[in-house]
Amino acid sequence: MKNAKFLTVTTTCLIALLGVTHFNSAWAKPVAEKVKEWIDEAGETLKKEVDDLGDDFKVIQDYLDNYHWKGVVADTATSGPATLKQLELNDHSRAVVVKPGERIEAEVKCNLDSEKCSVFGLYRIVVGIKGEGPQAVIGNEAGLLAGKSREKFTLIAPETPGMYQIRFRPVDALFKHSALHAWKDAEGNEPDGTTTIGIIFVK
């Protein structure tokens, strides 16, 4: 009788333990992956809303200028030693609607944290479009002199209509071309959703 009772208690504890382990493993998903899912879902909703507005660029841009961006694009994003904030695209905050292949004038506040930089490193921030690749290199600073700056750069809109995320990656690279080649990490991954600082709608 005691053995049967012990077996029942043991089985119950084991089931509970497995349940907790399963629950914890669900929460063990990397933060970056959760952010990616969050941004992708919010982005799809925004894309549908913009598509519903039709093809009037003025109406779409006005909608984007007054959009509540929580959950889609943060005003400030940090990756490693670099923090970018207050991105402007053609004088609009964080989002712009353009034609395929259109030139976009961009400006952003950049801060390189010298405490996170190697004194002898040369830091550059690669800015690009998710799924399209790198386009610009900004914030070129030696680790010893790293600090705040306001950076201007140019992006070229993709040729295919759609919604595109602007992302960035800080790299320690001596030359611009080597910085551009570092857009993807050693595993071939582009910067993740936590570095999304802007949205381009191509119509």
Side-chain angles (χ1 to χ4, degrees), residues 43-54:
E44 281 303 310
T45 299
L46 175 59
K47 182 178 183 299
K48 183 180 183 305
E49 292 171 354
V50 169
D51 287 342
D52 289 344
L53 293 174

Side-chain angles (χ1 to χ4, degrees), residues 9-26:
V9 172
T10 303
T11 303
T12 302
C13 290
L14 183 58
I15 291 172
L17 181 61
L18 288 173
V20 170
T21 303
H22 176 73
F23 179 79
N24 285 339
S25 66

